[in-house]
């Protein structure tokens, strides 16, 4: 599996790390508990099982379209089977939607199991925690609050989950 991920600037990065730490300090699930060196705040742009030939080179060209101004909002909760994902939503702008559409054009239309990254179904966000119970979500919302952060998406990387390799594209 390959994931194309937009990376936020230092201000957003620091704000999300603070959220991760507040969740950990409260004894709640947190993306900050994942100890991998590759773990950092990001916006998943697209996910695919395989990449088309020359995708990496074309994604490097796509990265030239960065930075993009963005606003990371309060909190959003997504269902995930019998649990929930807590995230910070990224305000959708015309520039962000164009960037996403160009990324999808490079790597192709997603199969159904990655349909949430399709051009008409994508919800940009930065994950704060996964596998939360409903009770944990209620507690977590009080911990992270609803403040928004303005900044930019400045980097792009490719995550190869099988090889556990990150390729920085910008």
């Amino acid at each position: 599996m390959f994931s194309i991920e937009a990376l936020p600037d230092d201000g957003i990065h620091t704000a999300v790390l603070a959220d991760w730490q507040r969740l950990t300090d409260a004894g709640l699930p947190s993306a900050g508990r994942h100890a991998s060196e590759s773990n950092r705040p990001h916006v998943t742009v697209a996910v695919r099982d395989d990449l088309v030939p020359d995708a990496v080179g074309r994604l490097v060209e796509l990265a030239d379209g960065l930075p993009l101004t963005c606003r990371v909002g309060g909190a959003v909760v997504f269902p995930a089977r019998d649990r929930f994902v807590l995230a910070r939503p990224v305000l959708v702008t015309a520039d962000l939607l164009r960037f996403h559409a160009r990324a999808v054009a490079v790597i192709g239309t997603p199969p159904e199991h990655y349909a949430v990254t399709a051009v008409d179904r994508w919800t940009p966000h930065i994950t704060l925690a996964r596998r939360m119970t409903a009770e944990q979500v209620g507690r977590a919302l009080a911990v992270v609050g609803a403040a928004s952060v303005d900044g930019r998406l400045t980097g792009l990387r490719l995550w190869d989950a099988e090889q556990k390799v990150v390729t920085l594209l910008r």
Side-chain angles (χ1 to χ4, degrees), residues 45-63:
V45 177
V47 180
R48 300 295 184 273
D49 290 320
D50 296 299
L51 292 179
V52 297
D54 84 332
V56 173
R58 293 177 61 205
L59 289 169
V60 169
E61 291 173 11
L62 174 69

Side-chain angles (χ1 to χ4, degrees), residues 14-102:
T14 300
V16 172
L17 290 181
D19 283 340
W20 289 0
Q21 190 60 53
R22 281 192 290 278
L23 290 168
T24 297
D25 292 347
L28 292 163
S30 169
R33 293 182 186 271
H34 184 65
S36 169
E37 285 185 29
S38 63
N39 185 36
R40 65 164 293 173
H42 65 273
V43 177
T44 300
V45 177
V47 180
R48 300 295 184 273
D49 290 320
D50 296 299
L51 292 179
V52 297
D54 84 332
V56 173
R58 293 177 61 205
L59 289 169
V60 169
E61 291 173 11
L62 174 69
D64 289 340
L66 295 172
L68 294 173
T69 299
C70 73
R71 171 172 282 173
V72 178
V76 65
V77 178
F78 299 108
R81 295 182 186 92
D82 64 336
R83 298 287 176 127
F84 301 92
V85 172
L86 177 67
R88 293 271 186 203
V90 175
L91 182 69
V92 177
T93 64
D95 287 342
L96 184 59
L97 288 176
R98 279 191 290 274
F99 183 83
H100 177 254
R102 288 193 307 272

